[in-house]
Each structure stands twice: as structure tokens, then as C-alpha cells.
Amino acid sequence: MEVLRLESVQKGFDGNVAVRDLSWSIPEGSVYGLIGPNGSGKTTTIRMILDIFPPDEGRISLFGRKPDASTRDRVGYLPEERGLYKRMRVKDMLGYLGRLKGERGAALSGAIATWLERFGLSSWADRPVEDLSKGMQQKVQFIGTVLHDPKLLILDEPFSGLDPISADLLKDAVLELKKGGATIIFSTHAMEAAEKLCDSVLMLHRGDKVLDGTLESIRAEHGAQAVTLDYEGDGAALKALSGVDSINDYGKHAELTLAAGTDAQELLRGLLGKLRIHRFESRRSSLHEIFRRRVGGPVD
Amino acid sequence: MIRIWTIAKREFVEGLRNRAFLLGAVLTPAILVGSLFLPTGLAEKLKPDRAAIAVSGGDRPLVEELERRVALYNERGVRPRYDVERLDGGLEAALEKAKPRLASGDLAVLLYLGDRLIEGDGTISLYYHTAGIAGAPKDLGRWAGDSVRRRRLVLSGARPEAIAKLDAPVKLDTKIFGDRGQVSVEEAVVARILVPVAAAMLLFIGIFSVSQLCLTNLIEERSGRVLEVLLASVSPLELMAGKILGNGMLGLAVCGFWAMLGVHVARGHGLAQTITPLQFVLLPTYFVLGFLLFAAFYCAAGSICETVKGAQALMLPLTLTATVPLMLGGTIAHNQSTGLARALSLVPPMTPFAMMFRLALPPGPSPLDIALSLASLTLGVAGAVWAASRIFRVGILLHGRAPGPREVWRWVSSRN
């Protein structure tokens, strides 16, 4: 069953197209990556899904209907720009966010207490938000997003600014929500993170859809054989190699995308004697590499 | 509607917790009353205990007659008491001596009794300096004139009893009638000046302080990035409506407090009849409509400006327009049913303040005038809320460069 469907959606601001002719469908229970560099149209797409503003053209269907106040209550949204009322007490802030989602009474208080406990913030419940560290405030923001047990969770760069332990805590919570049946849209420009967490991805670039599908299908269709190597020596030797489509050379570390038919073992043999190789790994292209090849330039 | 109410409740509670706002709500009536009464009271307090009057010219009996009148005034115990000094040697010499003293404030006034005053063609001259003019007796010219006339009577051979009778003070009894019978001079001043000024000022302060609160909250939410979080749960229009409703309730509570305080003070001074029931009904009505008008504009300004300063600058023309009835208060007080007063009542940004002024002035505007003003204000509110909502829903999520007038107009006029 589909949770979300966009059909030929278009949105522009002051004559500039932010999202162009976008069609997208998200099945229930999936973790879908919405990826692309800054300015690719991710946030505009999310705002249209949330009915913050309507599309100029096309149709959006959320839970089988046009987005409105009732569909909004079934969605949890963690925006990239975090914001809480600084002088409000943590539990009052969460209570306010919960009430705006239609939650009330003991159920709401119980959910607040449970989530605060889970994130180790129970002792901070009566403190004003401004007393909390930035990481703690991000956790509070996340709790505010999931308090009402949303059926669709939209997370915009959820791990940015979090320490590794807090990031793991949040990742586990997200996966648990997925197990509970929630559908998750994970918006990010960090493709490595999307690759680890998502079943499928939609890739945008300057408002256009570049790729859409499961990770496997994207890799199968657009991926190529790639090589990662750690080396010592003159990197010019890499540029002299034949059968290589693209090279991303960092001086001691390089990522190479191979042309069709190129044998990685042949490539390794060609490098031996020219460079001192510490590591050589043959693999499929990453999303980042696929994106670079698709749009023909660096990721912003 | 539940979401609007949730937002309104938060705005109301946070407003009540805002110490600066509460302090303003409590202090405003005190400052207002102080600003109305303090100038008179302060001027009285600042008067010196004694002040000097120099007299030049005139013969001894004329000067003695003048001194007698000054002494009579001094007997009333009013500050300052006046000492009369003689300066001999003609006007030029007297002026030379008096000028430095007038400039230093040591001398309040130099009075010169010209030649041939008794004969009927002389002149009494008064010389002041700005430094001491505030301490000079305002009736000195009249006292000198009365002294001259009395001397003329004495020199004409009139009998002393007849002169005493002619010179005897005439008692003055002033009666002022209001709509509900006779009122004292104090009540008349309160009804004619203080109540209209206080009513219009309180409405002005109430509307602008609460609209301002709406604006600062909105700017804080913009800069604190809370808006996008809220907009995931409510529509921009629900957010704007909740803010206006919550702050409106806060404003009504504050204005209600001021009105109760006003009635209490008026009752305490036996002046309760200067406040009419119609004022009580229409004060909240004009407050609500006026607040909706200005809050809508302030919300629109807050949605397109990054800072409070920027939004205030944008709102300045409208704010200044609203002050016109207050600046023309004297003219309206003279006659509240003139064409000017009626015209001001029909221009929405000025309507609430012009009408509060007029309502407080007996006999008050006609029912037709009230109905027309309410109709024009309601239309203004509908237009302002409609335009503001269209600006708000687009502007609220924009950051960086403020949109120009053409862009804002496009938002208002777009069909979407």
C-alpha cells in the first residue's frame, strides 16, 4: 500500500523552478532516502507533502487523500533547522507539540515520560529548554516529532550535530519506529548515511529527479565496478591508467570507477611497481559515485 | 479550531509570564494619569517661596495702593509670596538695574507706571525675562490698573465709603450642567478633557502594546527556527489566527483591568457618572476590531522582516496615521461632531481612537456615526486579515533578503 504519491508535481519561487515534474511513490513501511545536494529541492518537496504550501502543478496524495489537517496529524516532521521555545520547560514544550498534533491528557503525559526516560532526559523535564546542551535539545526535538506515534516520519538531516552515541540512540529509535509500521523519509545530502539506512532512494538535483528506486536496482542499473585503494607514491600514475571512467584522488587514498569490461585484477597489476599499494578493494559504486556520474559534477 | 485554541492559550499564558509586558500593563495607567496631572502639580511644586516685583515710576500713594493689593494676594497663602521693591531714577535707570536681576531670575518682573496715568493717557509697562517669567504674578497688570482707577476716584473727591463699595470684590458662582444634571468644575474638566484623552490613550497603548507582543513573538519564532516545527502541525493561517486570538485575549484582559481601575478611581472621587455604559460596551468592541486590524498588519510585517526593528520601520507610517486623532484631540474636544471628527472616524487605522475620543465627549456621536464607524472598521479588518494571511503564508518561511513591495503585492494578488 502506498503512503505517499506525487504526480508530476512542480513548484517554483519568483520564476525559479525548485521542483520540476516530480513523480514519486512511497510504499508503506519503507525507509526512503530523499537525497541530493543543498538546493536540490528536498525541503520544498517536504513542505509540499506537509501542505505548508501547495504545488503549482501536479497532485499529492498522502494516506490516499489530499494533504490537509487530518493527514498532518499522522505525520512527524523533524526539520533541518531545529527550533524550540528557549524559556519553556522541556515537558511543557513537548506537551505543546503533542497537543498541536491532537494528543491530550494521560496518553500524552505518558508518552512524554517514556520518551524522556528513553533518551536519559527525565531529570531535565522541569528545566527550561535553554538550560539543555545542543545535543539534548536535538533529542527533545526528536521526541516532539515522534510523540504522537506518526505513521509517516520525515527526518531532515536527523544526525547532524549529534555525537556518535546520541546518533546511535536516535538511529535505534528510528528503526524501532519502522518495525512498528511507520514509513520513514530520510532527507539528507550525506549519501553514505542514506546508503546505510534506506531501502530505497529518490535522488534530486536542481529540482529534477535523477534517480529513484531500491538501492539494489539503482546499483544494478547505474552502478559500475569501482576500486578503492590506499597508496604511497606519485598519484599521476593513476591518471595514466586505461579503462578508468573517473578518479577521485585524495593523495594517499583514491576511488576509481572502472569502465565496462575493465578487470580490477589487471588494474592492480598495472599499478604495482608504480605505486606502493597498502589496500586494494574491488566493489560496486557508492551512491555518491553514481550521483557524480549522473549529474557530471561534484556534489555541493 | 482546537489547534488555533492551543496556540492562543500558549500566547496568552506566555504573555502573562512576560514580566516586561506585565510591568507595562500595571505601570501604563499610572504613567498616563501622572502625565495628565503631573505637569500642573509639578509646576506648583517648582514655584519659589518668595519672588520680587520691582516697581518704577508712579507717585507714592499709587505704589502704596499697588502694595496693598499685592499684600491682599499674599494673604491667600499661595506660593510664591511677592515682595515689592521700589526702583528710583526713571525707566532707563530702573531697566539698567533690573535687567541682570531679571536674567538671573532674582527679579520676576519690572513694573513701570508711566507718566499721566491718573490723567488717563499714560501706560503701564511690564518687563520680563524668560528666566523668571514663570514666577511672575499673572494678575500684576490688573492689580496695577485697579490701583490707578482707585487713585483716580480718590483724587476726584469721591467719598471713601463709595470708593470702598465700588472696589469691593464681586463673588462669582459658576454652574456647569452635564447630561445628568449639574456638575462641578472638576467633573467638567474630567468629562471634557481627561476621560476622552485617557480613553483614547489607553486604547492606543493597549492595541499597540499587544500587537507589538504579537510581532516580537513572531520574530523570536522566526529567528529561533520554531516556525517550521509549528508549521508541520498547523497551517500558516491557523498559526496566525492562534497568535491573534491569544494576544487579543491578553489585550482584552489588560484593557479590562485598566477599565476597572478607571471606574474604581472615578467612584473614589465621586466622578463615576463621567463614564457612560455605552463607553463600556464600545471600548472592548473598538479594542477587538482595532487590535485585529493592527495585529494582522504586524503579523504580516513580522512574517517578512528578520528583525523587530525592520518590522517596526515598516509599520511606522501606519502607526503615525493612527496617532492623528490623538494629535487632533484638542480640535475634537472642542466639537466632537465636526466634519473632521466624523471623517477620522471612518478611516480604519484612525477609527478606534477617534471614536473613543468622541464617545467620551458629551453628548457623544450619533447612533448612525457609531454604526458607520463600526462598519468601516469591520471592512478594514476583513481586508487587512485577508491580505495579511496571504503575505504571512508565503513570507513566514522565507529567510534572507526582505521582499520588495512588488513581490509582496504578487503574493497578495496571486490566485493560489
Side-chain angles (χ1 to χ4, degrees), chain A residues 2-73:
Chain A
E2 275 176 1
V3 169
L4 175 70
R5 171 177 281 272
L6 278 72
E7 293 172 68
S8 304
V9 164
Q10 183 135 332
K11 184 74 189 177
F13 300 100
D14 302 325
N16 300 315
V17 178
V19 174
R20 187 182 291 108
D21 194 26
L22 177 62
S23 294
W24 186 22
S25 167
I26 300 184
E28 188 177 7
S30 60
V31 180
Y32 223 113
L34 176 58
I35 59 179
N38 296 328
S40 59
K42 302 190 298 290
T43 303
T44 303
T45 303
I46 291 171
R47 286 176 178 174
M48 286 190 287
I49 295 169
L50 291 167
D51 196 32
I52 291 176
F53 43 63
D56 297 337
E57 288 172 37
R59 287 199 317 174
I60 296 176
S61 160
L62 184 59
F63 303 114
R65 57 189 293 177
K66 195 172 175 288
D68 58 13
S70 69
T71 56
R72 215 183 278 135
D73 277 354

Side-chain angles (χ1 to χ4, degrees), chain B residues 21-358:
Chain B
F21 178 79
L22 277 187
L23 196 66
V26 173
L27 288 183
T28 298
I31 293 169
L32 187 61
V33 170
S35 67
L36 292 174
F37 290 103
L38 198 65
T40 328
L42 195 63
E44 209 53 49
K45 288 269 179 208
L46 291 175
K47 280 183 180 170
D49 287 337
R50 303 192 80 87
I53 301 167
V55 179
S56 172
D59 57 10
R60 178 171 288 278
L62 180 56
V63 175
E64 281 173 358
E65 180 54 35
L66 179 65
E67 283 172 336
R68 189 180 70 81
R69 287 174 192 274
V70 172
L72 276 174
Y73 174 82
N74 284 341
E75 278 173 20
R76 288 161 58 184
V78 180
R79 288 201 313 173
R81 290 172 63 83
Y82 293 107
D83 301 312
V84 180
E85 295 176 23
R86 279 251 22 166
L87 291 181
D88 297 321
L91 178 62
E92 293 299 318
L95 267 175
E96 198 176 324
K97 283 183 196 164
K99 270 184 178 172
R101 292 181 64 199
L102 286 169
S104 69
D106 176 45
L107 193 62
V109 55
L110 166 65
L111 172 77
Y112 177 69
L113 299 165
D115 297 338
R116 299 185 57 77
L117 274 172
I118 304 300
E119 288 78 4
D121 56 355
T123 304
I124 296 169
S125 305
L126 293 161
Y127 297 90
Y128 297 99
H129 188 281
T130 49
I133 196 165
K138 62 177 187 290
D139 290 332
L140 184 60
R142 184 169 59 79
W143 296 338
D146 289 349
S147 303
V148 170
R149 278 187 287 277
R150 188 180 173 97
R151 280 297 299 151
R152 285 177 187 158
L153 284 171
V154 171
L155 291 172
S156 70
R159 284 184 297 121
E161 310 86 72
I163 294 171
K165 257 188 189 171
L166 280 170
D167 208 24
V170 178
K171 285 182 182 167
L172 182 68
D173 184 21
T174 307
K175 297 239 186 287
I176 303 170
F177 295 98
D179 286 348
R180 288 176 294 269
Q182 194 179 319
V183 295
S184 67
V185 175
E186 189 188 13
E187 281 176 305
V189 170
V190 168
R192 197 75 199 172
I193 299 165
L194 296 185
V195 169
V197 170
M201 286 294 286
L202 281 181
L203 196 72
F204 185 85
I205 294 167
I207 285 175
F208 277 91
S209 59
V210 182
S211 300
Q212 187 72 25
L213 198 63
C214 245
L215 174 71
T216 48
N217 286 351
L218 195 58
I219 298 279
E220 267 178 36
E221 282 166 0
R222 266 175 81 88
S223 58
R225 310 286 182 188
V226 185
L227 278 178
E228 185 139 7
V229 178
L230 300 179
L231 290 175
S233 304
V234 296
S235 71
L237 292 191
E238 285 173 323
L239 180 64
M240 188 176 116
K243 287 190 162 298
I244 291 178
L245 179 64
N247 286 294
M249 292 191 305
L250 191 66
L252 265 183
V254 170
C255 277
F257 165 69
W258 290 345
M260 294 302 159
L261 199 67
V263 172
H264 181 73
V265 170
R267 274 192 184 151
H269 290 79
L271 300 170
Q273 71 273 22
T274 57
I275 301 167
T276 66
L278 190 62
Q279 286 171 323
F280 260 95
V281 176
L282 289 176
L283 174 71
T285 309
Y286 282 112
F287 172 83
V288 169
L289 290 172
F291 169 74
L292 284 175
L293 184 81
F294 286 98
F297 282 123
Y298 268 98
C299 279
S303 72
I304 57 176
C305 295
E306 298 276 342
T307 61
V308 174
K309 266 187 188 171
Q312 281 172 335
L314 193 64
M315 289 297 293
L316 192 62
L318 194 70
T319 312
L320 288 177
T321 308
T323 61
V324 170
L326 301 175
M327 290 190 282
L328 295 176
T331 315
I332 300 174
H334 184 65
N335 184 352
Q336 61 81 23
S337 58
T338 57
L340 174 70
R342 298 176 77 183
L344 294 181
S345 310
L346 295 177
V347 183
M350 297 188 257
T351 304
F353 315 112
M355 284 306 288
M356 276 328 287
F357 221 105
R358 295 180 63 196

Side-chain angles (χ1 to χ4, degrees), chain A residues 20 22 35-37 40 201-213 218 221-222 290-296:
Chain A
R20 187 182 291 108
L22 177 62
I35 59 179
S40 59
V201 292
L202 169 72
M203 204 182 268
L204 296 176
H205 181 60
R206 293 180 185 157
D208 288 313
K209 180 160 86 173
V210 180
L211 291 170
D212 184 17
I218 287 173
E221 192 178 342
H222 302 283
I290 293 171
F291 181 83
R292 279 169 59 97
R293 288 203 310 144
R294 289 287 292 167
V295 302

Side-chain angles (χ1 to χ4, degrees), chain A residues 5 13 33 54 59 70 78 93 100 115 120-121 158-159 185 192 204 210 230-231 233 251 259 274 278 298:
Chain A
R5 171 177 281 272
F13 300 100
R59 287 199 317 174
S70 69
L78 180 73
M93 181 75 236
L100 287 180
W115 278 103
L121 293 171
F159 304 118
I185 295 176
E192 296 79 7
L204 296 176
V210 180
D230 294 346
Y231 70 95
K274 293 174 187 162
H278 294 296

